[in-house]
Each structure stands twice: as structure tokens, then as C-alpha cells.
């Protein structure tokens, strides 16, 4: 049990009544740990947020969360949206150039509901013949604006059919690999191929796929239909485990070094405690608590700083997307911040736990504590 003198000593060494300069100097040995934790916390939030947005965009702009070849009818969960859709290849011709596109025919109201809430679309105020909606990436490439007219050469079996179309809207391109050349038209231009079922964000689609198959309706989840794109999401999330490992190794290195710095700093005080009869093990226990508390403070502060910086990352990506769009071909250029609280908490816990082991081992090896 700690004596009153030990409690007072630990409190003073933690900075109580010692002024801001002392507190800063006490944390300097862990400055690199704080900076590394901030960077890793930022990386956790950034990767998780980007991966979550890519995952959602595959469902929103792809084939829904679940794609079925027959009308799913009464098997649709409450809060979900279903729409018939069709796909074909086409060539787009405009005054600004031409481009091969994937034409997706959809029903009226397709861009209402969840898509209206989660997608940024600029619409043309007027009406036009054969209205289509294109991506902002394609609009920049061909210098198109809402209301502009163009020609679509749509493949129908073994022949091509021309359509005079009007750009009725431009949606913000979020994941170029998926949506840069994706054009939406009325279902009349493509004909229906199947049905898209869009589930609310976070809902599990596997149960619905199983239910549809059990009732004789062929269905696939977006993760199966877009497996190559979805693998990019899984690889990004896999980096999180590498980050946690890096945290553990760096925490062990910096914390043991900090313990040595504190002991060297307080040699005179340690000698006086030893002369007053405080044993070597008690002194080691004091410096274990001092160092571990400083590590915990640095880890928590670093995590908070990283979280704050993460909220600026969408602005950074938007700026890069405007100047160097090719750099972000395989990444989303706009996303909302999603904080992975379990991963952040796990990172801090791992950091403190590994630091505790490192500090204990370092102090155990140290023979001279006076």
C-alpha cells in the first residue's frame, strides 16, 4: 500500500503544482509517441471512413445492396427500396468529345429516397427530350452542363440505335472506378434486366439473399457482383491490423525510453528516497506508475488530436480531386467521417498494455535505482 509520502511524490512528479513548463518537459520524452498515435488515429478514421463510403457507393450506384433477376415482391424488408433496372453499352457524342459509357436504365423515382439523401445531384431546371443523368467526372471530361444536348448510340442486340438526349442532371462522382462513365437514363432506353433492392446503410444483405433463393428468386449481393471493387475495400480495412501492430511496437520502444529519461532526471530524488529507507522495488513501482500514466495521457491526447485532424480529410481529398483527379481513381473523393470507436479504443488499450509490459521489463533489468 502506498504511503502518503509516495502519493505526494507521484502527484508532484505528474505536474501537480509544478507549472506548465514542468508538465511540458515531463511529456517531451513521449512527444514522438503522441505524434505517432495522432497519425495512426487519423489513419484509422480515414481508412475506415473511406472504406465505408466505397462500400455504400457500390450499393447506391451499382446494382443496389441486393440484385435479383425476378420481382422480389413481398420479401422486401421494411425501409428498403426496390426498382427495376437495365444495362447496356453506349457511345456518347457531344460538342466536347465522345466517350464509351455504361448506360443504366432506371424507373422514375430512382433518385428519390435514400439516393436523394446520400448523392449530390445538380438538376436542370427545364425539361428535355430523353433526359439522362451523368457523373461530374464525365461532365468535366466532355465540358457538359445541365441542359446540354448530346447523342447516345445505344447497342440493342446486333445494332446501334441513336438517341438525342438532354443532360437533366449531374451527380457528383464519388468513386471514379465505378461511376466516372456511368450514365442513367429512363428504363425505356435499355429495357429491364432485373431488380435492385437498396437496404438502409448498415443493414446485412446476406439474410435477404438467402430468403430470395429459398423462394426461387435468383439474387446476388453487391459484394459478389462487384467482387473486384469490393476487394479494394477489404484490403483497405486489412491495413487497420497492420496499424495496430505498428502502434504496439512503437509504444514499447517510446515508453521504455521515457522510463529511462524519468529515472535519469530524478536521480537526486531517487537517491534521497533510498537513503530514507524506501526499497528498490518500491522506487521501481513509483516510476512504473509515473511512466505508464504519462503514456496513457499521451495516447489519449494523441488519439483525440488524430480524430480532430480526420475531420479535415474530406476537404483535403476534395482539393486533390480538383487538381489531380488521376491520383484518386481507386479512392472515393468525398465521404462522411465515420469514427471506428472500437478500433480507436483497442489501439489505446493495446498501446498502454504493451507500454506497461515494456516499462516493467525495462525497470526489472535496471539494477541501479539510487
Amino acid at each position: 500500500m502506498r504511503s502518503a509520502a509516495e502519493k505526494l511524490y507521484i502527484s508532484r512528479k505528474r505536474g501537480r503544482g509544478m507549472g506548465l513548463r514542468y508538465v511540458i518537459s515531463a511529456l517531451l520524452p513521449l512527444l514522438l509517441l503522441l505524434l505517432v498515435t495522432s497519425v495512426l488515429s487519423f489513419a484509422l478514421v480515414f481508412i475506415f471512413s473511406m472504406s465505408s463510403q466505397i462500400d455504400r457507393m457500390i450499393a447506391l450506384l451499382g446494382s443496389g445492396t441486393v440484385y435479383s433477376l425476378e420481382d422480389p415482391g413481398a420479401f422486401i424488408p421494411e425501409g428498403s427500396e426496390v426498382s427495376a433496372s437495365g444495362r447496356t453499352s453506349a457511345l456518347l457524342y457531344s460538342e466536347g468529345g465522345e466517350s464509351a459509357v455504361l448506360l443504366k436504365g432506371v424507373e422514375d423515382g430512382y433518385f428519390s429516397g435514400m439516393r436523394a439523401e446520400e448523392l449530390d445531384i445538380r438538376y436542370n431546371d427545364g425539361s428535355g427530350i430523353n433526359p439522362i443523368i451523368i457523373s461530374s467526372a464525365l461532365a468535366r471530361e466532355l465540358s457538359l452542363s445541365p441542359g446540354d444536348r448530346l447523342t447516345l448510340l445505344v447497342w440493342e442486340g446486333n445494332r446501334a440505335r441513336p438517341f438525342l438526349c438532354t443532360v437533366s442532371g449531374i451527380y457528383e462522382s464519388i468513386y471514379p472506378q465505378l461511376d466516372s462513365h456511368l450514365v442513367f437514363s429512363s428504363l425505356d432506353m435499355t429495357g429491364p434486366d432485373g431488380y435492385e433492392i437498396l437496404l438502409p446503410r448498415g443493414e446485412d444483405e446476406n439474410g435477404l439473399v438467402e430468403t430470395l433463393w429459398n423462394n426461387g428468386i435468383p439474387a446476388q449481393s453487391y459484394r459478389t457482383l462487384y467482387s473486384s471493387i469490393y476487394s479494394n475495400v477489404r484490403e483497405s480495412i486489412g491495413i487497420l491490423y497492420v496499424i495496430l501492430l505498428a502502434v504496439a511496437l512503437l509504444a514499447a520502444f517510446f515508453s521504455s525510453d521515457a522510463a529511462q529519461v524519468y529515472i535519469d532526471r530524478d536521480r537526486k530524488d531517487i537517491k534521497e528516497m533510498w537513503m530514507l529507507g524506501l526499497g528498490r522495488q518500491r522506487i521501481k513501482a513509483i516510476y512504473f506508475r509515473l511512466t505508464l500514466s504519462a503514456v496513457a495521457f499521451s495516447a489519449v491526447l494523441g488519439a483525440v488530436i488524430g480524430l480532430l485532424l480526420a475531420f479535415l480529410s474530406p476537404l483535403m481529398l476534395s482539393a486533390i480531386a480538383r487538381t489531380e483527379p488521376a491520383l484518386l481513381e481507386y479512392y472515393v473523393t468525398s465521404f462522411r467521417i465515420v469514427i471506428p470507436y472500437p478500433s480507436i479504443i483497442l489501439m489505446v488499450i493495446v498501446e498502454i498494455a504493451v507500454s506497461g509490459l515494456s516499462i516493467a521489463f525495462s525497470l526489472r533489468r535496471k539494477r541501479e535505482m539510487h
Side-chain angles (χ1 to χ4, degrees):
M1 186 174 180
R2 287 181 290 173
S3 65
E6 290 177 47
K7 293 179 181 179
L8 178 61
Y9 182 83
I10 293 174
S11 176
R12 297 284 287 178
K13 289 300 179 181
R14 284 175 176 169
R16 184 177 181 182
M18 301 295 287
L20 182 61
R21 179 177 297 180
Y22 178 87
V23 174
I24 294 176
S25 65
L27 292 176
L28 279 178
L30 293 169
L31 178 61
L32 287 178
L33 178 61
L34 185 147
L35 294 176
V36 168
T37 305
S38 299
V39 172
L40 295 177
S41 176
F42 171 87
L44 281 169
V45 177
F46 181 81
I47 293 172
F48 190 86
S49 299
M50 178 175 285
S51 300
S52 298
Q53 188 69 1
I54 292 176
D55 186 275
R56 185 58 174 171
M57 286 305 106
I58 296 174
L60 286 174
L61 295 174
S63 298
T65 316
V66 174
Y67 183 76
S68 66
L69 297 180
E70 299 177 14
D71 189 349
F75 304 106
I76 304 303
E78 184 178 354
S80 303
E81 299 171 4
V82 60
S83 175
S85 66
R87 292 164 185 76
T88 187
S89 299
L91 291 176
L92 187 154
Y93 296 89
S94 69
E95 292 183 1
E98 61 185 55
S99 176
V101 298
L102 174 62
L103 186 63
K104 183 175 178 179
V106 296
E107 294 180 317
D108 293 339
Y110 183 83
F111 287 103
S112 60
M114 285 181 278
R115 289 185 177 86
E117 296 175 359
E118 300 186 48
L119 296 176
D120 183 14
I121 305 177
R122 291 186 292 121
Y123 287 102
N124 176 31
D125 294 334
S127 59
I129 186 173
N130 295 323
I132 62 171
I133 297 177
I134 66 174
S135 69
S136 59
L138 186 60
R140 286 192 297 269
E141 179 183 337
L142 301 179
S143 301
L144 292 170
S145 301
D148 289 350
R149 292 194 173 187
L150 50 84
T151 300
L152 269 180
L153 195 61
V154 181
W155 295 105
E156 294 181 346
N158 295 324
R159 66 187 183 91
R161 182 182 177 187
F163 290 90
L164 179 63
C165 301
T166 303
V167 179
S168 67
I170 297 177
Y171 66 89
E172 190 63 32
S173 179
I174 296 177
Y175 189 42
Q177 188 184 9
L178 174 69
D179 60 30
S180 60
H181 290 81
L182 179 61
V183 174
F184 293 89
S185 70
S186 68
L187 192 59
D188 296 336
M189 293 178 65
T190 62
D193 294 332
Y195 295 84
E196 297 181 14
I197 307 165
L198 183 62
L199 301 179
R201 187 186 286 264
E203 292 290 328
D204 182 32
E205 75 282 357
N206 293 325
L208 177 58
V209 171
E210 182 178 354
T211 298
L212 293 176
W213 275 103
N214 289 340
N215 288 274
I217 301 176
Q220 286 182 294
S221 75
Y222 68 102
R223 297 178 182 181
T224 303
L225 287 171
Y226 298 92
S227 57
S228 60
I229 298 178
Y230 185 69
S231 65
N232 185 36
V233 179
R234 302 312 307 168
E235 290 172 4
S236 297
I237 295 177
I239 296 176
L240 300 181
Y241 299 103
V242 179
I243 291 175
L244 292 176
L245 176 62
V247 167
L249 296 176
L250 290 170
F253 175 78
F254 291 123
S255 58
S256 61
D257 185 62
Q260 180 62 49
V261 171
Y262 292 152
I263 291 171
D264 292 338
R265 179 196 64 185
D266 298 335
R267 282 192 179 278
K268 183 179 178 180
D269 296 333
I270 293 173
K271 185 175 182 180
E272 291 177 354
M273 287 191 294
W274 180 74
M275 293 179 66
L276 290 173
L278 201 62
R280 183 178 289 110
Q281 294 302 319
R282 297 287 290 274
I283 297 175
K284 288 182 178 180
I286 288 174
Y287 278 86
F288 175 83
R289 288 192 289 269
L290 281 174
T291 308
L292 191 61
S293 63
V295 168
F297 179 80
S298 299
V300 173
L301 181 60
V304 171
I305 293 174
L307 291 178
L308 295 176
L309 292 175
F311 281 95
L312 301 176
S313 56
L315 299 177
M316 177 189 68
L317 276 188
S318 296
I320 296 175
R322 287 193 296 268
T323 56
E324 296 292 340
L327 294 177
L328 301 176
E329 183 178 356
Y330 296 97
Y331 300 93
V332 293
T333 56
S334 176
F335 57 90
R336 70 176 187 177
I337 293 298
V338 180
I339 300 177
Y341 288 105
S343 298
I344 296 293
I345 293 172
L346 177 62
M347 181 187 71
V348 174
I349 291 175
V350 168
E351 189 169 341
I352 295 174
V354 175
S355 295
L357 293 174
S358 178
I359 295 167
F361 182 73
S362 177
L363 292 174
R364 185 178 180 182
R365 293 178 55 196
K366 194 163 186 63
R367 296 181 179 276
E368 295 184 2
M369 290 294 291
H370 56 83

